[in-house]
Each structure stands twice: as C-alpha cells, then as structure tokens.
Amino acid sequence: MENGIANTKEEAFLSRMALNDNKAGMEGLDRDKINKIIMETSKGSRFYENELKREQQVNQRIEKMMLQKAQITDQQLKKAQAQVEKVASALEKSRDLSRVIVHVDMDAFYAAVEMRDCPELKDKPMAVGSMSMLSTSNYHARKFGVRAAMPGFIAKKLCPNLVIVPTNFDKYRAVSDEIREIFADYDPHFQPMSLDEAYLDFTDHLEQRQSWPESLRTHRYRSKIIASDEKHNESDEAAEIKDLSPVLFEDTPNSSPSASESSGGALEVFGTSVEEAVREMRFRIEQKTTLTASAGIAPNMMLAKVCSDKNKPNGQFRLLPSREAVMDFIQSLPVRKVCGIGKVSEKMLNALGITNCSHLGQQMALLSLLFSETAWHHFMEVSLGLGSTYIPRHEERKSMSTERTFKELSKAEEQLSFCRELCEDLAEDMKKEGLKGKTVTLKLKNVNFEVKTRAQTLPYAVATVEEIFAVAKDLLKTEIENESPQPLKLRLMGVRISGFVSTEDKTPMQKSIIGFLQPGKSCCSGSSQITHPNLEKDPLSTHPAQASQSLHPPPVQNGHKQVEVRWQIKQRHSGESQAGEEPQLSFFQRAHARRMQVQAVNASKQEEGCGEDTSAFTSKDSYSTVGVESATTKNRNNCAASDQSGNKCDSPKQAQASTSGFGTKSETLTCPVCFRPVGTTDLSVFNKHIDCCLRKASGKSGESSDEDSDLDPPNDQLKCEGAEREVEEEQAMMRNAQHDTSRVQAGEGRPSLKKDSEPKGLLVKGENKPVRSPQREGQRPVLICPVCQLIQDTDDLTVFNHHVDVCLNWDILVELGGQAAPPKNPSAVKNSKMADRGHLLPRQTSKGKSKRRDSPSSPPSKKPKSFCNTIDKFFR
DNA sequence: ATACATACC
DNA sequence: TACTGGTATGTAT
C-alpha cells in the first residue's frame, strides 16, 4: 500500500487533472505533452493538492470494490446472471423504436457567437471566459488542448496566443432565443438543456411533414451569404436590413417561400425524411444566426445525445431505429460518452476492465453485484441501447442558490457581511419567481478547496433577506466558531434555499408523486404522512393564511379558477380516503381525478383522444387502497404486458390471477393518462398509446398560444386553463413516478447479495418494510405494486421492483435506474460503507431547468447562468 | 433532515 | 495573479 500510494498519487494526477480529449475537435492531440504542461502548471497548488486527495478517495473506493469482487462466488455470479437476464429480457420487450428523438447542440456556442461578432477572432485560437476559467474554446484552440472548464492561465500555457474573450451572456441568451424559435417549429415541447442545447421529438413533425407541399419545405439563404457566395448583389439596403434583423427571414414553415424571388435569395428545398428535416432545421439556424449546430437523430434521448456528438462540428448523425443498428452502435461506444457516466464512474468501470458499452453488457452480472441497483440498471439500459423516448417537460425548480469565489476571506466580520450580500441576491431571485423555501443551506469552501455544507430546515418557508440571512448567519457563525486553527479562511461562500412552498397557490398537488409512491407515504402503506411540502401540516409559509391552504379552500386570489379546480379535486379525494386524515391519493387516483376534471371542463378536446370509449370513466372514482372499482379493475392490467412465459413476475395476468380479490382476466390495459381502456395487451402498443396521450396532453395545454411558460413562475401557470393544467400535472407526476422508481429500488439496496427470501417490496419509507396485502396476511408476504395496485406473485425484490419499473415506464419503461429521461440524473455513487458496492451513476439531464426555465416560449427568465462568471468580478 | 459526492453545461 | 456557478440527484447517516 505504501507503494500503492505513491502510484496512486501519480495516477490521481493523471486521472483527475489530465486532459479530457473526449470532446469533439480534440482528436489526435499530443496528450502527453499537453498533460505535462497541465501538470507542471498545476503542481503544488492548493487546488492540485485537493484534487490529489479526492483522487485517493476514489481509489480507495475502487480498492474496496475490487475486494468485494474478489469475494464473489461463482454461485453468486450465476444467480446474478440469471437475474440480470430476467431484467434484460423485460427491458428488451419494452424497447420502443418508434420515436424520432433529436438532440441539437450548437457548435462551440459562446466562442462561435464571439467569433461571429468579431471577425478578427476567426482565425485565432480563442476561448470565452477568463484567466480563471474558460467556458468554451473554438476549434482552433482545441488543437492545443484548450477546452471548456480549463482555467485560462493554464490554457495560456498550452497556447500562448490564445485570445480570451469575456463572457457576454445577454448575447448568448438572445441567440438562444432565436434558435429556440426554430426548435419550436419542429417540436413545440422541446426541452432546452442549456442555452445551446435541446432535445426534440420529431415524430409528430415528420408525420405531418409527409404531406407538406414543397413550399413548406423551402427555405431561403440568408442574403448576406448569397451576396458573398454568389455575388448576387442585392441592394445594399436589403442586405443591411437583413443583417440587422434576421427575423426578416422567412423561416417559418407557414410563411410562403414562394416569395422566393422577392429578395432574390436563393432557395433550398428540403425533403421529407428525418435527415432532411433535421438538416433543414440546422440550415435555418445557420441562416438565422450564422452559427452552426450539430444534431443526433436516434430512437431515444440517450442515443440522440451521443449521436449529436458523432459528427460534431456542423454535422448530424442518424442512428437507424432498428435493434441491430442500435446494438452495433452501442458496442464500441466508450462508456464515458454516455450521459451520466463521468470521471469517477468511468474510472471505476475501467478498473473492472470495462471501457466501452459492449463490456458493460458482458459484465452486467458482476456489475449488479458491485453497484447499486440504480447504477446497474442504468448500465443495463445503456448496454441495451435504451433510453427515454418521451421528452419530459421541465420540472419545477427544486432549489435556488448563489455562490461566489473570492480572494480569501478570513475575518468573521467580513464573512458575515458577505453572507448577507449573498442572501440579498438570493432573496431578490426568490422574489422574482415568487418562491419560498424551508431549507437554507450554507456552502463554504476554504482556501484548501475543501467544501462544506451546512443546512437548516425551518418549519415554515422563507424568502426575504432577513429570513434567509437569519438562518445562514447562524450556520456561518457556528462554523466560524468551530474552526479549529482559528481563522476560517474561505475562498467561496454560497447560500441555497430549497424545500419550496410556492408563494401563490400553485401546487398543492403538482409537485410530486414521489411522495405518494414512496413507502410510508403511499396510499398503499396507509401511512399518515404527507409528502408534498404544500400538504404538510406545518405552517406552510410565513403567512398564516397560506398555512391553512392545504386544509381549507384557498382564497381565490386573482380570481384564478385554477385554485378552485385543484381544491375540488382534493376535496373529493379527501373525503374518499380516510376521513380526518390528510388526503392520501395514489397516483392513479389522482390521475383519474384529473382526467375527470379535464373531461368535465373540456369535453370537447377529448374526442380524438387517444382513447376509444369513455365508459370506464363514468363509473365512480373511488378506490380502496388495494382494490379498485370493478369497471376499472378489469382494465387495470396496465402493467407490463410483458408476460414472460412462465415468468411469474411482470405478468399482469398472473399477478391478477393470484389476486383473489380482483382476478378478472383482462384483455385490455388502462391508460394512466386518459384512464381509458386500451384494447391491447401488447406493451409496446400500450406504451405508444400512453405516449400519445402524454403528447396530446402537453400539446394541448402548451400549444394554444404559448402559455407554455407554465414552467415558470406560478403566475404564468395561472393563465392556463385549469383542466389543461391538470393534464400537465399528470405528466409531471408520471415523470416523477418513473423517477421514483429508482428510489424504491435504491431503498432496498442491491438485491442479489441478500437473501431474496425476505420479502421486500414496496419499502416503507425509512423502514424498509414491504407492503403486505391484507388478503394474504398470514401467508407468505405479498408485494403490491404501487402503480397498478395489483398483488405481485413474487417475493423477489428485484423482480418486484422491475415489475414496478415496467408499470411506471409507460413511456418507455426504461428508466429503470432512474436514468435517462424523465428521471433525471442519477449520479450517484455511494459513499463508503456499504459501499462497497454501490456507486454510481447515471445522470442525465439536468440543468436547464431552473433558473432559466427556458421553455419554448417562456419569458426571459433570470440570469441564465450557465457556468462562467468567474471570480473576476468578485473580490471583496 | 443533513452532509457529501458525482454529474452536466 | 492561481481552478467557476447553478441545479439535480444519489447515498449514508
């Protein structure tokens, strides 16, 4: 080990600080030379020392992992293999290749914008950022090893002639708005991941596009380009106007390109294929902004993302929607390319000899024994080339924070006053979005780069400077006082607030279904706790009036009917569930309630619905915890239709058969969105139907005019029609439901190693108790699926969890380990201890959400804050 | 609920 | 001159 440490140190260096040439434009660089410079430049710095320390921690984890691996017996491995295969086959059945997902990414965005606006930079290596940190670099600079996330001073060492341009977010945001307008033409519900990136579902567009006349597929070249390329000399006036106002371009499919000759611009006609449609979109982006974009076309988000990187600068790549093509593609894909697998995960996998996805597939049994369920499920999906086929809408922000790095702050007095400043900024931001939160977290980073966080949760939500500072100040004081070698020397301080309870009505139910599915809180468990912050009994907010919101009809402020609608739903169920208790609704109950509401308020929109008849609806809407009213029950087979012959799990039929109470065999599945029976038992068909409903729902509420900004502050959503809003909530819930999957599983920890004899099941929050069916009391423990509410004829947790996964994954099931899409980013790794095993992974999307809740037509939100914004401006 | 870690842009 | 800022999520305690 002594020796090992020495080695470790070296490796640490390489692994954490070495160049990442994983990026486009960095092929064939002289890594050794670059790394040498990076090292020499960093060596000895406090930053470097800290990185070394962290690296060692990772190495220790890897060591533990290896030890564990060494103890695995053939038998365990065999068993794991069987389990893995089971999951794999279930996942395989859920594969959906019908959607056309596109991931678009602007090329070297910030740098490209700067170059466009300053021609002198065009031929020079340049980067955007500061000497402290770079956000992006152009391709020229990349040849020197200069890349995003690299400090400017090191970049300068690599490339002395590098020109560093300060960031100009307002400009990037403006450009971002322009490209988003175009995105919206192809998918009004596209999801922006950052200023320069987005996921789009082209499926619907393509369907319509097939019947589009050529005129709608014709677009004009920007006059400027024409002028230079073809010397087509237009009037200077026209050229000028266009340059200044790109909006003049005919870039809407609806506008008639027949005006072709009008400005004399050359026209380009695009075909009806996916490639053509995407090429057209990129063409329009370029004509409109003079910037290029790259795109990836694939059957799911995970793959699309990887594909967009394939032909990175100004190119696109389509992965054909066939299992064969997908598997081929996946095989040679380096694991690090997968969204969610970062530096640490990569290193751990590498330690196991896994570098690309084919290895991933080959080692699944082992991985299932060494990693957390969430992690290996993600690996499994990746190895199968699966990912989300439903692009989730932005979710509500979960936290808001501000942090700054500064020179060095050691005086308590100054630290406190700086803390106040942060609180002021944060309060201001909170006000803009009308938020209030109950948890305040202070973040500190000392001069040695060691990070510490301290949080406190209040019984009520706060939002003002005084309120936030009062908490942050205490937390800070404590740290200042407890610092051992006295002065607490800081280099960064941050304040975050979370645990939101929105100021305006909003939400009582829209936030998360997680709480409802979560053990201990789910209806199934009969727990008495309510999860959603807004439903908690504690004072909900600073104002007493609001505190009672969850218990009494909220005051109709602003006359928003939204408020009332929501209340009614709640009332109804409240009564149905246990009187006196807080309403505990299952996801389905809620979904159904919403559906009813939607129908009532908006019957007209239902006609073409994805469903067929509405009969199932008319029946009453009360459900018992486990049982379901008959009309619906018989269709409640919405769980994976994947009946694995002989397999007891996942088979709705069997599950039902074993359910004495409601053993009606069913030939149909009930859509969780429209709640109507879908005449099929085929999972993919069923999933398709659900996707359709989801899209429809979101389409309706989001499209009508742009109120799409509902992701925004509560206010905005108030403009939505109540019923429509509900539909969206359903979506949100579903997304959360899927996401929740990972939690349920994670709660139990990895299965295989444990005796799967013990029934586990829906774990009760904090107690890991499975939910047992009343009917089965006294017999073998029974697990009840929280989604379909059917008793599962299995006592194997993994099988059970998988069943739940399938149930949750309408869309594509697949989100098993919380990975891809809806769920967000599983990133995790477990820490020590149990450790050993766990760890890792997935992650996904993320960002984008928040601060700039940029939704297609949403109003400019707050500072886009992507990264950047370095120290420069701070000091203090 | 709190603290720490990983991840992404 | 000396390694960001914002958000989300996983995991353990």
Side-chain angles (χ1 to χ4, degrees):
Chain A
M1 227 77 0
E2 346 339 56
N3 234 341
I5 289 182
N7 278 332
T8 299
K9 275 209 160 194
E10 285 311 307
E11 290 171 35
F13 199 173
L14 292 173
S15 148
R16 293 204 135 245
M17 320 251 329
L19 173 75
N20 247 333
D21 53 2
N22 237 348
K23 196 119 189 167
M26 310 203 74
E27 305 75 20
L29 298 185
D30 186 344
R31 280 190 76 152
D32 292 342
K33 185 184 170 191
I34 292 172
N35 284 328
K36 193 181 171 197
I37 295 177
I38 292 177
M39 282 195 177
E40 286 172 354
T41 309
S42 312
K43 214 148 207 163
S45 69
R46 304 207 217 214
F47 175 82
Y48 172 79
E49 292 302 322
N50 186 254
E51 286 300 290
L52 222 52
K53 200 173 80 186
R54 294 181 56 186
E55 180 69 31
Q56 284 173 35
Q57 286 172 5
V58 171
N59 287 334
Q60 281 180 15
R61 261 170 49 188
I62 290 178
E63 273 182 46
K64 282 189 188 171
M65 176 179 78
M66 298 309 270
L67 277 182
Q68 269 219 316
K69 180 193 171 191
Q71 299 178 327
I72 295 174
T73 66
D74 282 356
Q75 195 180 23
Q76 288 176 311
L77 204 57
K78 224 174 205 174
K79 190 170 177 180
Q81 183 62 42
Q83 220 153 40
V84 158
E85 279 167 21
K86 214 181 265 182
V87 174
S89 101
L91 280 173
E92 187 56 60
K93 286 178 182 167
S94 74
R95 190 187 293 274
D96 177 1
L97 298 166
S98 70
R99 306 304 301 182
V100 181
I101 307 298
V102 175
H103 179 257
V104 212
D105 197 347
M106 296 298 288
D107 303 319
F109 194 47
Y110 299 168
V113 172
E114 297 303 338
M115 287 169 77
R116 175 192 71 175
D117 299 345
C118 183
E120 289 98 272
L121 295 173
K122 288 206 165 133
D123 303 314
K124 301 174 185 170
M126 62 83 73
V128 177
S130 69
M131 279 299 259
S132 300
M133 186 53 60
L134 302 180
S135 293
T136 341
S137 59
N138 64 8
Y139 282 77
H140 193 347
R142 291 184 193 186
K143 289 177 192 159
F144 294 84
V146 174
R147 55 158 301 156
M150 175 181 280
F153 71 91
I154 288 181
K156 277 285 199 179
K157 285 265 165 73
L158 293 173
C159 176
N161 293 322
L162 180 72
V163 177
I164 298 179
V165 180
T167 56
N168 187 338
F169 280 104
D170 289 336
K171 207 150 79 175
Y172 313 144
R173 209 169 310 136
V175 177
S176 185
D177 287 342
E178 291 188 283
I179 63 177
R180 288 180 187 184
E181 280 178 24
I182 293 175
F183 291 162
D185 285 339
Y186 298 87
D187 177 3
H189 306 300
F190 70 90
Q191 184 181 45
M193 299 305 293
S194 64
L195 290 180
D196 77 318
E197 199 184 308
Y199 281 100
L200 293 78
D201 184 336
F202 261 59
T203 317
D204 293 342
H205 167 79
L206 290 170
E207 197 181 316
Q208 295 175 28
R209 192 183 180 86
Q210 300 315 305
S211 55
W212 275 13
E214 207 171 80
S215 63
L216 293 182
R217 294 180 275 109
T218 303
H219 295 272
R220 184 180 303 134
Y221 276 95
R222 183 174 196 163
S223 55
K224 189 182 184 179
I225 292 176
I226 298 300
S228 61
D229 282 2
E230 306 185 22
K231 296 284 175 198
H232 205 47
N233 286 323
E234 310 186 318
S235 70
D236 292 295
E237 185 186 357
E240 244 180 84
I241 290 176
K242 294 192 176 200
D243 285 346
L244 294 174
S245 189
V247 177
L248 292 181
F249 290 10
E250 309 232 41
D251 54 15
T252 345
N254 295 321
S255 57
S256 166
S258 60
S260 46
E261 11 95 12
S262 67
S263 346
L267 302 176
E268 169 122 3
V269 180
F270 295 85
T272 56
S273 68
V274 206
E275 285 94 339
E276 282 291 283
V278 172
R279 199 168 67 75
E280 173 189 280
M281 176 177 72
R282 293 197 301 115
F283 171 85
R284 291 174 59 197
I285 288 173
E286 185 170 1
Q287 297 313 307
K288 187 171 185 176
T289 69
T290 317
L291 300 173
T292 62
S294 292
I297 307 165
N300 65 53
M301 293 173 77
M302 184 242 124
L303 295 171
K305 169 93 170 143
V306 177
C307 290
S308 68
D309 204 55
K310 199 82 178 172
N311 289 322
K312 196 60 176 121
N314 195 17
Q316 63 184 58
F317 177 84
R318 181 189 181 198
L319 174 54
L320 293 173
S322 74
R323 193 190 123 85
E324 190 186 15
V326 170
M327 292 311 277
D328 272 359
F329 182 80
I330 280 301
Q331 297 312 301
S332 58
L333 184 68
V335 295
R336 186 62 171 78
K337 291 276 187 186
V338 178
C339 190
I341 297 182
K343 251 182 211 169
V344 177
S345 303
E346 177 189 31
K347 185 164 181 175
M348 296 186 48
L349 290 173
N350 285 172
L352 296 171
I354 298 171
T355 56
N356 66 40
C357 297
S358 64
H359 302 149
L360 216 48
Q362 293 157 13
Q363 307 286 354
M364 273 316 303
L366 176 62
L367 294 175
S368 76
L369 295 174
L370 299 175
F371 291 80
S372 70
E373 187 130 339
T374 300
W376 77 261
H377 274 204
H378 178 239
F379 292 149
M380 169 83 86
E381 291 182 354
V382 169
S383 72
L384 291 171
L386 298 173
S388 179
T389 58
Y390 171 64
I391 299 177
R393 232 169 194 323
H394 270 194
E395 288 159 45
E396 290 181 23
R397 154 200 295 296
K398 295 183 177 60
S399 71
M400 185 182 277
S401 65
T402 307
E403 70 183 52
R404 275 172 222 160
T405 292
F406 35 74
K407 219 39 176 305
E408 173 177 325
L409 216 47
S410 308
K411 296 179 186 171
E413 201 177 285
E414 296 180 331
Q415 293 169 336
L416 285 166
S417 81
F418 187 81
C419 179
R420 174 173 258 286
E421 282 180 39
L422 289 172
C423 292
E424 287 167 358
D425 290 353
L426 185 57
E428 192 183 318
D429 291 348
M430 290 287 284
K431 190 177 179 183
K432 286 179 190 163
E433 293 190 28
L435 295 169
K436 280 173 170 263
K438 295 193 293 186
T439 303
V440 175
T441 305
L442 176 72
K443 176 179 175 182
L444 303 175
K445 186 190 285 180
N446 65 21
V447 293
N448 290 319
F449 291 86
E450 294 164 333
V451 178
K452 207 185 269 187
T453 59
R454 292 292 177 265
Q456 186 180 337
T457 297
L458 307 166
Y460 50 88
V462 297
T464 68
V465 194
E466 285 68 32
E467 295 169 325
I468 300 173
F469 183 58
V471 179
K473 181 187 62 188
D474 283 348
L475 294 171
L476 177 57
K477 273 186 174 172
T478 301
E479 292 311 306
I480 290 175
E481 290 164 13
N482 296 343
E483 183 67 3
S484 77
Q486 248 316 309
L488 178 56
K489 300 183 188 172
L490 303 176
R491 85 174 328 265
L492 169 149
M493 191 188 293
V495 180
R496 173 166 65 249
I497 189 157
S498 54
F500 294 139
V501 167
S502 137
T503 292
E504 10 276 288
D505 136 62
K506 187 171 193 165
T507 40
M509 325 188 49
Q510 100 182 34
K511 214 150 193 168
S512 70
I513 184 185
I514 288 181
F516 293 87
L517 291 180
Q518 216 158 47
K521 297 180 171 180
S522 77
C523 61
C524 301
S525 72
S527 131
S528 59
Q529 234 188 25
I530 288 201
T531 295
H532 192 288
N534 291 331
L535 293 179
E536 285 179 33
K537 302 176 180 174
D538 290 314
L540 291 178
S541 67
T542 308
H543 311 296
Q546 290 183 317
S548 61
Q549 230 169 275
S550 65
L551 303 175
H552 308 291
V556 183
Q557 339 177 339
N558 314 322
H560 296 309
K561 51 183 165 189
Q562 180 90 35
V563 172
E564 294 183 3
V565 170
R566 222 171 252 113
W567 172 243
Q568 286 166 16
I569 292 174
K570 208 148 95 176
Q571 277 277 308
R572 186 163 64 207
H573 287 287
S574 182
E576 289 168 8
S577 42
Q578 319 165 26
E581 288 248 5
E582 295 271 8
Q584 303 268 327
L585 312 181
S586 72
F587 166 67
F588 277 88
Q589 288 175 309
R590 290 148 68 77
H592 186 192
R594 280 177 175 55
R595 212 48 205 181
M596 301 282 281
Q597 197 68 36
V598 169
Q599 287 216 319
V601 179
N602 207 350
S604 62
K605 285 195 176 183
Q606 303 294 326
E607 16 68 327
E608 51 167 320
C610 347
E612 5 303 11
D613 88 284
T614 323
S615 58
F617 260 98
T618 55
S619 45
K620 64 178 179 104
D621 56 271
S622 69
Y623 306 81
S624 59
T625 301
V626 174
V628 191
E629 45 99 9
S630 61
T632 310
T633 298
K634 94 172 157 207
N635 301 315
R636 209 146 245 271
N637 233 350
N638 49 1
C639 308
S642 49
D643 278 280
Q644 327 193 345
S645 43
N647 240 327
K648 50 187 179 178
C649 63
D650 298 326
S651 167
K653 288 178 185 169
Q654 300 219 5
Q656 282 204 326
S658 67
T659 303
S660 54
F662 24 98
T664 321
K665 252 210 166 189
S666 79
E667 306 295 319
T668 63
L669 302 177
T670 299
C671 171
V673 181
C674 69
F675 233 70
R676 289 182 231 174
V678 180
T680 180
T681 51
D682 181 87
L683 181 60
S684 61
V685 173
F686 180 57
N687 278 337
K688 239 181 234 174
H689 164 94
I690 294 169
D691 280 350
C692 165
C693 276
L694 287 174
R695 259 173 233 104
K696 220 155 233 176
S698 62
K700 287 186 173 165
S701 50
E703 230 144 57
S704 0
S705 80
D706 310 304
E707 48 190 14
D708 199 33
S709 20
D710 56 32
L711 288 173
D712 277 359
N715 310 326
D716 290 280
Q717 87 174 198
L718 291 173
K719 12 179 229 187
C720 300
E721 214 208 319
E724 296 182 313
R725 182 69 208 158
E726 300 299 340
V727 172
E728 290 205 15
E729 287 179 18
E730 279 183 51
Q731 285 185 266
M733 292 176 74
M734 301 219 235
R735 266 181 260 120
N736 285 325
Q738 294 187 4
H739 171 228
D740 192 49
T741 298
S742 58
R743 301 203 178 203
V744 173
Q745 302 173 328
E748 186 53 33
R750 322 185 5 276
S752 11
L753 288 186
K754 22 184 37 191
K755 31 17 181 338
D756 43 353
S757 49
E758 273 298 320
K760 355 212 127 205
L762 215 215
L763 327 169
V764 175
K765 165 183 207 165
E767 305 180 291
N768 284 344
K769 284 186 190 164
V771 173
R772 302 180 184 222
S773 146
Q775 296 96 320
R776 295 281 200 114
E777 219 64 278
Q779 296 189 313
R780 272 197 328 174
V782 172
L783 305 180
I784 300 173
C785 171
V787 181
C788 68
Q789 301 193 336
L790 291 177
I791 292 174
Q792 299 305 299
D793 189 19
T794 177
D795 55 3
D796 179 291
L797 179 63
T798 298
V799 172
F800 173 72
N801 278 337
H802 183 251
H803 159 88
V804 176
D805 287 340
V806 176
C807 265
L808 290 173
N809 272 325
W810 3 77
D811 101 51
I812 339 344
L813 134 3
V814 210
E815 273 311 320
L816 276 175
Q819 130 3 78
K824 350 209 103 270
N825 141 63
S827 73
V829 168
K830 36 187 43 179
N831 289 337
S832 37
K833 195 152 151 243
M834 223 187 170
D836 338 272
R837 48 165 67 311
H839 298 345
L840 274 315
L841 298 241
R843 157 255 193 263
Q844 163 117 354
T845 81
S846 69
K847 100 156 324 47
K849 326 188 147 270
S850 20
K851 252 174 179 169
R852 67 186 104 101
R853 46 202 115 202
D854 8 84
S855 12
S857 36
S858 80
S861 38
K862 67 181 302 125
K863 11 179 175 176
K865 334 179 123 181
S866 274
F867 41 101
C868 257
N869 247 346
T870 24
I871 320 181
D872 306 18
K873 38 184 9 174
F874 318 120
F875 49 91
R876 215 200 180 295

